[in-house]
Amino acid sequence: MSESTHETAEYTMGYSQEFREMLSRRSAQSHARYLLPHLEARQRILDLGCGPGTISVGLAEAVEPGQLHGIDIEASQVELARAAAAVDGTHITISSGSGSVRQGDVVRYAAQVRDSAGALVEGAEVAWSVTPAGGGMFDAEGRFVPYAAGEVTIVARTAVTKDGSVRMATAGMPVTVRPRGIRGSLRLVGTGRVDARHTSDLWVHGHYAYTGTWGIREGEVGNRLYAWTLDGSGIPTLSDSITVDARTVNDVKIRADGRLGVLTHEGGDASDGGRNGVTFFDLADPAHPRVVSRFSTGLEPGVHNAWLEGDYAYLVVDGVGGGLRILDVSDPASPRLAASFYGGSSFLHDVYVRDGLAFLSHWDAGLIIVDVGNGMAGGSPANPVEVSRLSDLGGETHNVWYWPEAGYAFVGEEQFGHSMGPSGIMHVVDLSDITRPREVATYEVPGSTSHNYWLDEDAGTLYLAWYEQGVRMLDVTGELMGRLERQGREAAFIRYAGAGEDCMLDPAATCAWSPQLHGNGKLYASDLNRGLVVLEPGR
């Protein structure tokens, strides 16, 4: 019997130059397209027989910021794969930033880009993002604000050009976002009912509150100012009123010393020639205000809002071209014009004065800041000088609150639309350099628009009157950035009456106009339909 011998040949493609070039031309798109739809971000891939890595790189990009590990029996192929993965040796790492952050807190991340020799690449551009999408917001400098609590991945990318093509070097970092943990409450504890007329603005000083009246309600025009006395629990009782020749008393302000007040006239009655203007009243007896004078020269179109600061009254004249009038009221019985200012292109809606600066809500012209005694631009009440403006706020700039300690202004956009249209927005403007204002954050409540605000600066709590959506209580502590309504910052809200689509047409609906926090711990809010509402905030 003879024995036969069988030899088994070993098959190999070899690594000829031609074969290596063929391998280098392969990509995930050309040779693994079938696999790509099954890959998701943050997956991990083991590539057995990775070869020179040209397919591996594409697979890795498909699962960023996940990981791909490549293995090959041939050492030379592994070296080629490493080079492809490093994009010609360039790589990026996240060099600083916390792995655990609180929802809504702004944190900073930094990245380093190094070349194949390990040298730092100066000036390399880094693009930042977060997965899942919507998990937060980055700016170009690597500042990040997380939105929802949970697990996210911070991703840093840098573009590297090799052989005429651009590839991305990527680094990822897992981050835990903790809940912000803000809790608050707003409770209705009292009301000063006004049913005969619509209620407009309010001002609370000491043990007294004052509310204006607006438009026409069941035949009664808004020609009154109501004075309220607050009892030991802060609940109001009507003590007196002033009747003036107007159809709307839109605004009322009390000077800081509590001795002088001003109310505005709009839609002046025909019997008075429609001269409108303002009325100043004495508060020697705060429960029973007494008219001192009326001033109307140059104010005939009507005055929408006012501010009292020292010996000057700052008045918003209705209509395009009206602008700001500044009156010297050192003698309230004989006011006289001190100066005028108009920002151009649109009508002025509101004025707020603080630290010698007048903050003008100039509707479609945006926010305009004017020196009226601060001195930074050489201005004074008799010579107002513009300091800066921010026009790109979406138009309809309605009101502003300036917080100098934090360097922010909270600016309201009154954009009517209700549930059938867009919402008004609260814009946060960074005024750390007051000559260069810039928007950094927003807050929005869908289905309605905001009106006026009041800030508790000690607590960092902003109270916002939001018409049909009631009164909102918003945490504005820390650095502000991005969409505040997505950051767990809303501590509470209250719709203390009925719900409605347009509260100006529905007398049963909540219609919050203006809030004001008092030293007695109560939050007073004027409501168009109900009068003076008393709320109790809790934290």
Side-chain angles (χ1 to χ4, degrees):
M1 185 175 191
S2 64
E3 182 179 22
S4 61
T5 303
H6 299 276
E7 293 184 2
T8 303
E10 183 176 322
Y11 173 78
T12 177
M13 291 286 290
Y15 294 101
S16 67
Q17 181 64 29
E18 180 181 1
F19 183 60
R20 288 197 300 269
E21 289 177 0
M22 183 273 289
L23 292 178
S24 70
R25 290 192 296 268
R26 299 190 307 176
S27 69
Q29 285 292 335
S30 64
H31 284 72
R33 182 175 296 183
Y34 66 92
L35 182 58
L36 294 177
H38 303 284
L39 300 181
E40 298 177 0
R42 304 179 73 172
Q43 287 182 331
R44 300 176 68 189
I45 296 175
L46 177 60
D47 187 357
L48 299 174
C50 65
T54 53
I55 295 176
S56 308
V57 168
L59 299 178
E61 290 175 353
V63 298
E64 288 177 349
Q67 296 179 338
L68 181 141
H69 297 274
I71 299 174
D72 198 279
I73 195 172
E74 176 60 43
S76 64
Q77 295 297 292
V78 173
E79 290 303 315
L80 291 173
R82 286 174 176 163
V87 193
D88 200 24
T90 302
H91 62 280
I92 183 172
T93 57
I94 297 176
S95 55
S96 66
S98 177
S100 177
V101 299
R102 188 175 67 148
Q103 182 185 19
D105 283 355
V106 178
V107 292
R108 288 164 171 76
Y109 291 88
Q112 291 184 341
V113 179
R114 296 183 180 274
D115 62 20
S116 57
L120 195 64
V121 179
E122 299 291 347
E125 293 188 3
V126 176
W128 294 92
S129 62
V130 58
T131 60
M137 173 187 170
F138 263 104
D139 69 6
E141 284 72 45
R143 294 190 313 155
F144 173 65
V145 58
Y147 288 165
E151 302 297 321
V152 300
T153 299
I154 303 302
V155 180
R157 291 182 173 89
T158 189
V160 179
T161 301
K162 179 185 179 184
D163 299 330
S165 63
V166 178
R167 297 180 181 175
M168 300 298 296
T170 305
M173 175 179 176
V175 172
T176 299
V177 181
R178 309 185 307 276
R180 188 162 190 83
I182 296 298
R183 295 290 183 272
S185 63
L186 288 168
R187 185 169 64 95
L188 178 66
V189 295
T191 306
R193 288 301 297 260
V194 179
D195 295 315
R197 291 171 171 81
H198 288 303
T199 298
S200 59
D201 222 325
L202 88 163
W203 200 263
V204 187
H205 189 279
H207 300 293
Y208 304 92
Y210 306 87
T211 57
T213 49
W214 183 89
I216 300 175
R217 185 177 192 179
E218 298 179 353
E220 298 290 345
V221 298
N223 61 354
R224 289 197 183 172
L225 173 80
Y226 292 108
W228 306 83
T229 298
L230 308 180
D231 66 17
S233 300
I235 305 304
T237 301
L238 185 65
S239 55
D240 208 342
S241 65
I242 295 175
T243 302
V244 296
D245 196 355
R247 291 185 181 274
T248 289
V249 175
N250 189 73
D251 197 17
V252 54
K253 291 293 190 299
I254 308 302
R255 196 165 63 186
D257 62 9
R259 297 168 57 186
L260 182 68
V262 61
L263 62 85
T264 65
H265 296 239
E266 288 182 294
D269 194 87
S271 66
D272 193 40
R275 62 191 180 101
N276 290 309
V278 292
T279 290
F280 294 96
F281 52 93
D282 177 78
L283 291 170
D285 181 353
H288 304 283
R290 179 181 62 86
V291 172
V292 175
S293 64
R294 179 174 179 180
F295 187 90
S296 59
T297 304
L299 308 179
E300 292 83 1
V303 177
H304 194 65
N305 282 298
W307 191 272
L308 280 175
E309 190 80 6
D311 288 334
Y312 294 91
Y314 297 82
L315 311 177
V316 173
V317 181
D318 286 339
V320 175
L324 180 69
R325 300 287 189 279
I326 304 176
L327 301 185
D328 183 337
V329 292
S330 53
D331 179 2
S334 300
R336 60 184 180 84
L337 181 66
S340 299
F341 178 90
Y342 177 57
S345 78
S346 185
F347 64 86
L348 177 62
H349 185 275
D350 200 4
V351 57
Y352 171 98
V353 180
R354 187 166 185 175
D355 295 345
L357 297 169
F359 296 82
L360 307 184
S361 299
H362 221 294
W363 210 243
D364 290 341
L367 172 65
I368 302 177
I369 303 172
V370 179
D371 183 355
V372 291
N374 178 279
M376 66 170 57
S380 68
N383 178 41
V385 178
E386 181 172 332
V387 174
S388 60
R389 69 171 64 197
L390 182 59
S391 300
D392 189 17
L393 287 172
E396 299 166 319
T397 301
H398 174 272
N399 60 291
V400 61
W401 182 290
Y402 172 48
W403 188 9
E405 182 180 352
Y408 290 120
F410 302 95
V411 182
E413 175 186 335
E414 187 181 39
Q415 184 181 135
F416 285 105
H418 307 287
S419 62
M420 295 182 297
S423 303
I425 300 171
M426 186 273 286
H427 302 266
V428 182
V429 177
D430 183 345
L431 292 178
S432 53
D433 179 354
I434 208 163
T435 65
R436 297 176 180 270
R438 62 188 184 93
E439 183 179 4
V440 293
T442 58
Y443 171 76
E444 185 172 357
V445 179
S448 187
T449 189
S450 70
H451 200 240
N452 291 334
Y453 312 150
W454 189 275
L455 178 63
D456 178 356
E457 297 183 359
D458 291 335
T461 300
L462 184 66
Y463 296 95
L464 309 97
W466 213 278
Y467 283 113
E468 296 87 357
Q469 300 294 339
V471 177
R472 327 297 291 196
M473 181 179 181
L474 188 68
D475 169 32
V476 290
T477 57
E479 188 174 359
L480 303 179
M481 176 178 160
R483 299 280 299 273
L484 301 185
E485 74 274 10
R486 300 178 63 181
Q487 299 174 17
R489 287 180 173 271
E490 185 172 88
F493 78 92
I494 184 171
R495 189 186 289 120
Y496 41 77
E501 184 176 293
D502 189 340
C503 64
M504 295 184 178
L505 302 176
D506 182 355
T510 299
C511 205
W513 184 290
S514 286
Q516 184 176 342
L517 188 66
H518 191 275
N520 63 12
K522 301 296 191 294
L523 181 71
Y524 295 87
S526 58
D527 182 281
L528 188 83
N529 293 323
R530 296 174 69 85
L532 182 59
V533 174
V534 187
L535 305 174
E536 187 170 74
R539 293 297 292 265

